Amino acid sequence: MKVTLSFDNGPTAAVTSHVLDTLAQHRAKATFFLVAENLTNPANRAVAERAAEEGHWIGNHTLTHSTQLGDSDDPHLAEREIGQAQRLIGDLASRDLLFRPYGRGGVLDRRLLSRPSLTYLQQHAYTCVLWNCVPRDWEQPDTWVDRCLADLTTRDWSLVVLHDLPTGAMRHLPRFLDSLTELGADLVQDFPPDCVPIRQGHLHRPIGHLLAR
């Protein structure tokens, strides 16, 4: 059983620092998909710099996390939400330009991407990273661990979405990682191919079901 860890919607200095401490203790690497406007806070940027220095990958999770790309006909939305975000991330970015779209509630549907945003991702050689395990830690911060562990047993390779936000959920990250060790899970940093429909701007999976009509 392979498990890839990702953390969305940060950085938030205190919580992300705790996450980094916990990952270091377990010798685990993850990807942090940042809401880039958070980086305008110097403390948040400092902890994102620490994450990159410690070998975690840094990805783009939009500038504001406020509008699903497939919900808007604005032809300039992709440049604002993806392009401006990437400029704020700057040299923190991983070697591949990683982008994770905002999927409200973790739902993979036609609200995820618009055709202009798809064109933008292709023209700028982004790798689009989705997910297949959403334990809803933001919604149920004290009960997500057991639900996530049960879900992991249903597939060979899971890409887990957690959130380094001040909900209290990350207090349980040490128990989660200890449980993965007990299960003999192989923690990897790469992504399951099924979760990467676009790699360096090239389509690798059908995405019609993710595109606004």
Side-chain angles (χ1 to χ4, degrees):
M1 178 173 67
K2 287 185 180 181
V3 177
T4 300
L5 299 177
S6 63
F7 296 86
D8 284 10
N9 296 24
T12 52
V15 179
T16 307
S17 293
H18 165 71
V19 169
L20 290 173
D21 290 344
T22 304
L23 292 173
Q25 289 163 7
H26 289 79
R27 299 182 180 179
K29 301 298 183 187
T31 301
F32 289 82
F33 288 97
L34 309 184
V35 175
E37 67 178 4
N38 292 340
L39 295 172
T40 60
N41 177 312
N44 290 341
R45 185 164 193 96
V47 78
E49 290 171 352
R50 176 189 165 190
E53 289 167 0
E54 293 182 0
H56 303 288
W57 293 341
I58 303 297
N60 178 336
H61 193 36
T62 74
L63 178 68
T64 66
H65 200 264
S66 60
T67 302
Q68 288 191 268
L69 294 169
D71 275 346
S72 174
D73 294 327
D74 181 353
H76 306 294
L77 182 64
E79 166 57 29
R80 288 199 305 272
E81 285 294 318
I82 304 173
Q84 288 185 28
Q86 199 65 48
R87 286 189 286 277
L88 275 173
I89 292 168
D91 60 5
L92 298 178
S94 62
R95 184 173 59 184
D96 278 358
L97 290 181
L98 303 178
F99 175 72
R100 171 170 282 169
Y102 168 31
R104 191 184 303 273
V107 178
L108 295 170
D109 63 11
R110 291 184 181 275
R111 302 177 67 187
L112 207 65
L113 294 170
S114 63
R115 295 191 180 276
S117 66
L118 171 61
T119 299
Y120 189 93
L121 293 173
Q122 292 179 296
Q123 288 178 343
H124 294 83
Y126 278 89
T127 293
C128 182
V129 182
L130 304 180
W131 54 85
N132 59 18
C133 180
V134 183
R136 308 187 75 83
D137 57 297
W138 75 92
E139 189 175 71
Q140 298 176 314
D142 293 318
T143 58
W144 65 269
V145 170
D146 291 333
R147 183 169 55 255
C148 187
L149 292 170
D151 185 64
L152 296 179
T153 65
T154 66
R155 66 184 70 84
D156 293 333
W157 190 350
S158 296
L159 199 162
V160 181
V161 179
L162 300 174
H163 297 79
D164 48 331
L165 295 174
T167 61
M170 292 302 97
R171 292 177 302 178
H172 304 289
L173 184 62
R175 180 168 78 86
F176 177 61
L177 293 180
D178 286 340
S179 297
L180 291 181
T181 300
E182 292 169 6
L183 287 172
D186 183 13
L187 275 175
V188 300
Q189 196 171 19
D190 203 2
F191 310 117
D194 288 352
C195 294
V196 186
I198 305 168
R199 191 176 290 274
Q200 297 180 339
H202 299 286
L203 282 175
H204 282 257
R205 302 277 167 178
I207 61 166
H209 62 297
L210 305 175
L211 279 175
R213 295 184 185 279

